[in-house]
Amino acid sequence: MRHKVRILDGGLLLALLAAATLFAFEVDVFRHLGGETKAQEKVDLDELMALSTLSMLAVLTFFWRRARDHKRENELRIAAEEEVMRLAVQDPLTGLPNRRRFEEALKAALLALPAPPEAHALLMIDLNGFKKINDLHGHPAGDQVLVHIGARLLRAVRDQDLVARLGGDEFVILARNVEGSEGAANIARRVLESLDEPVVTSSGSHAIGLGIGVALAPQDATTGDELVRKADVALYRAKAEPASSIRFFEPAMDLRLQQRDELERAIRNAVEGDQVALRFQPVARIGGGIAAFEASPLWSHPKFGEISADRLSPIAEEAGVLPRLTEQLLRRSCEAATAWPDEIRLSFDVPGPLLRDRSFADRILAALREAGLPPQRLKLEIDEGALIRDAEAAESLITPLRAAGISIVADNFGTGYSDLRNLQRLKLDGIKIDGSFVAAMEHDRQAALMVRTLIGIGQGLDLSVIADGVATKAQTEALARHGCQQAQGELIGSPVSAEQARAMVMGGHRSESYAG
């Protein structure tokens, strides 16, 4: 800007000097006019006309150039402003409209609501498995995937539909004037079909799934905030499915979400006050005698009643207190186990999401030290499916724990489609056969064959084998014939308090009902 000002000032100064020179020359000419010969007067007048013409041309040229430069500057400024406005409503990575542009389009759409059965459809979209791509291949690979996803979404929708990226792996489609839920479902199905083929990038081929939540206006809502909220509620339900799925908003979803929110607030308060109780279920040696107790949480809500351990873990995870709750339960379990005889071990479930917590192994060892429980008396059970999904994270967690003497058992074994390579890589100490196979083995030949196969795998890898869900003596006898070492379930004993568990083992408890 300083340079422009200097050039302008210099141009004006030259113009002023030219005008002053012309004025001085004219004064000189007119002062001597009449005192010169005709020839001299003609020469002076010719010089005056030439100088005047040149001066005027110079001034006109200067101002023409200034006008041209000014016009060019205006054009550049307007273009820059247009670019800024474009970038303000465009996602820089995918080139799709961003959240701001989407909100403007949604507001405009809701000002012109169609008459039923037509509707405006809002499809909230979230990718399944995208975080794993970033973790394994890096964010540049993830960015390439997002660009491909954006392009496929554009090809899947109608020309008049708006596809926007809200951020991360969240996309949204605003489809105006569709034929009610059927028209919205058609668009959603085309979106799912667009990702049937894996996304191929420089980092490899990536299979991507989708969760799609759909809300309609005016059927579900007539305001932008409410329509987005209800589409998000439907998306939450879709994301709960194991595979890609579409869910339309239903009023019952709101009720479930409110209940879930109430449970999350309650569990946060319970963890804050360390109020979640513990129960210990006996694990017996087939042949007689208690080998271990499995610790499990017991929590009751005044409105919703007793919450099972399977439900409690995801609720605590959503509430953001799963690590703290697990650590509290582990510390109290270790303290209770110190009152048992040395040969009785403590079995404790590690929730799958905590496999990715790099500091969790240190906290487990700290809990053992504080309680004074030897690591050799602790057995950690981890769901087989979680071990497969997060094999690298599981290996990082397991390695220092096994080095310290803690045993690792694959829980719900047989349901995660594990292979021998995974088992050998993770260096497990035992497997626990899923209770569904044990329950069906007496009347289902396939289930009985599955149990024998799983026991054989454990024996082949020199792993301890525990059968869960044992309810009859016939099951115990069949398991014993095939070489299963331990059993757990209704026949063995129900979960008991810490005091009752201590009484069982200190009294030399031995149940003949599960003696082989």
Side-chain angles (χ1 to χ4, degrees):
M1 181 59 73
R2 286 200 308 267
H3 296 308
K4 289 183 177 180
V5 171
R6 288 172 182 171
I7 291 171
L8 179 61
D9 292 345
L12 289 174
L13 181 60
L14 289 174
L16 289 172
L17 287 173
T21 302
L22 177 61
F23 178 74
F25 183 75
E26 289 175 343
V27 170
D28 182 66
V29 169
F30 287 110
R31 180 182 297 167
H32 297 92
L33 194 62
E36 299 174 333
T37 65
K38 292 291 185 181
Q40 289 176 327
E41 287 182 1
K42 185 178 181 182
V43 170
D44 287 343
L45 289 174
D46 289 343
E47 289 176 351
L48 177 60
M49 291 299 295
L51 185 57
S52 298
T53 302
L54 290 173
S55 298
M56 290 301 297
L57 286 174
V59 171
L60 288 172
T61 301
F62 170 76
F63 283 108
W64 172 78
R65 294 190 63 177
R66 285 300 304 143
R68 185 192 62 180
D69 292 344
H70 182 68
K71 180 181 178 182
R72 186 179 299 166
E73 288 176 3
N74 278 341
E75 290 173 347
L76 291 174
R77 178 179 56 79
I78 292 170
E81 288 175 354
E82 290 175 349
E83 179 68 8
V84 169
M85 290 301 296
R86 184 184 65 82
L87 293 176
V89 295
Q90 184 184 66
D91 174 52
L93 176 63
T94 63
L96 296 174
N98 62 10
R99 183 183 294 274
R100 178 178 173 183
R101 176 71 185 94
F102 159 69
E103 290 174 348
E104 291 173 353
L106 179 60
K107 183 178 180 181
L110 294 178
L111 291 175
L113 287 171
E118 282 196 352
H120 295 330
L122 185 64
L123 288 72
M124 302 295 291
I125 299 170
D126 193 78
L127 305 185
N128 297 333
F130 178 72
K131 183 179 183 301
K132 193 171 183 179
I133 295 173
N134 277 338
D135 292 342
L136 292 178
H137 303 285
H139 288 277
D143 288 347
Q144 290 181 41
V145 168
L146 291 174
V147 171
H148 282 279
I149 296 294
R152 292 194 187 188
L153 292 180
L154 284 173
R155 291 196 294 269
V157 302
R158 305 171 304 172
D159 290 340
Q160 67 266 35
D161 296 336
L162 176 78
V163 180
R165 180 184 175 221
L166 301 184
D169 60 346
E170 295 179 272
F171 294 84
V172 64
I173 295 173
L174 176 60
R176 300 180 63 162
N177 299 98
V178 299
E179 292 296 326
S181 58
E182 184 178 348
N186 288 336
I187 294 174
R189 281 193 290 268
R190 289 201 301 271
V191 168
L192 287 185
E193 290 168 1
S194 72
L195 285 175
D196 282 346
E197 294 296 324
V199 175
V200 180
T201 68
S202 60
S203 60
S205 178
H206 308 286
I208 302 293
L210 292 176
I212 304 177
V214 186
L216 303 176
Q219 289 87 334
D220 295 323
T222 56
T223 65
D225 289 344
E226 189 67 4
L227 191 65
V228 169
R229 186 187 73 80
K230 290 184 174 179
D232 268 330
V233 170
L235 175 61
Y236 179 82
R237 293 293 298 167
K239 292 289 287 182
E241 301 292 330
S244 295
S245 61
I246 305 165
R247 286 290 179 271
F248 280 76
F249 173 79
E250 299 170 3
M253 291 179 178
D254 250 353
L255 178 60
R256 284 193 292 268
L257 197 64
Q258 291 168 12
Q259 292 175 347
R260 183 69 172 235
D261 182 65
E262 192 172 345
L263 282 171
E264 287 179 13
R265 283 186 277 108
I267 192 61
R268 279 194 289 267
N269 292 333
V271 171
E272 186 68 30
D274 199 4
Q275 297 169 350
V276 179
L278 273 169
R279 288 294 182 268
F280 298 88
Q281 185 172 20
V283 180
R285 299 181 188 89
I286 294 182
I290 293 176
F293 284 98
E294 180 182 354
S296 60
L298 177 67
W299 183 61
S300 293
H301 188 276
K303 181 177 176 181
F304 303 114
E306 187 171 314
I307 307 299
S308 66
D310 290 341
R311 286 186 64 201
L312 181 60
S313 181
I315 292 171
E317 182 183 9
E318 288 288 332
V321 295
L322 182 59
R324 185 176 176 186
L325 172 62
T326 305
E327 192 172 350
Q328 286 178 357
L329 297 175
L330 177 61
R331 289 179 185 278
R332 283 195 274 127
S333 297
C334 290
E335 290 170 2
T338 58
W340 307 337
D342 291 346
E343 68 272 15
I344 306 298
R345 304 179 74 183
L346 168 66
S347 183
F348 189 87
D349 285 333
V350 175
L354 294 186
L355 295 181
R356 298 185 292 271
D357 186 343
R358 297 188 177 184
S359 65
F360 190 58
D362 293 334
R363 300 205 299 276
I364 291 173
L365 296 173
L368 287 170
R369 287 194 299 270
E370 290 179 17
L373 185 72
Q376 292 75 16
R377 290 187 59 196
L378 178 61
K379 201 169 40 167
L380 295 178
E381 297 187 5
I382 306 173
D383 179 75
E384 181 196 15
L387 288 172
I388 295 169
R389 287 191 301 272
D390 295 307
E392 291 187 7
E395 190 173 13
S396 297
L397 175 72
I398 290 171
T399 300
L401 297 177
R402 289 195 80 253
I406 297 172
S407 298
I408 308 296
V409 174
D411 196 8
N412 304 315
F413 194 73
T415 61
Y417 306 102
S418 187
D419 55 30
L420 297 180
R421 185 174 57 186
N422 277 332
L423 294 176
Q424 290 174 326
R425 173 187 174 185
L426 294 172
K427 297 181 173 61
L428 302 175
D429 298 284
I431 58 174
K432 179 186 279 189
I433 299 173
D434 188 74
S436 62
F437 299 119
V438 176
M441 63 185 293
E442 289 183 88
H443 57 270
D444 186 334
R445 291 183 58 189
Q446 291 295 327
L449 178 60
M450 185 68 169
V451 170
R452 290 199 297 273
T453 301
L454 296 176
I455 293 173
I457 290 174
Q459 290 174 333
L461 295 174
D462 196 24
L463 304 175
S464 65
V465 181
I466 309 162
D468 197 8
V470 177
T472 67
K473 192 166 184 177
Q475 290 171 351
T476 309
E477 291 170 350
L479 290 167
R481 284 196 303 272
H482 298 304
C484 183
Q485 297 106 341
Q486 297 181 13
Q488 180 179 353
E490 181 183 337
L491 180 69
I492 311 304
S494 300
V496 296
S497 66
E499 293 77 12
Q500 290 171 318
R502 182 176 182 277
M504 289 173 66
V505 292
M506 296 306 290
H509 177 83
R510 177 187 173 90
S511 173
E512 295 302 323
S513 62
Y514 55 80

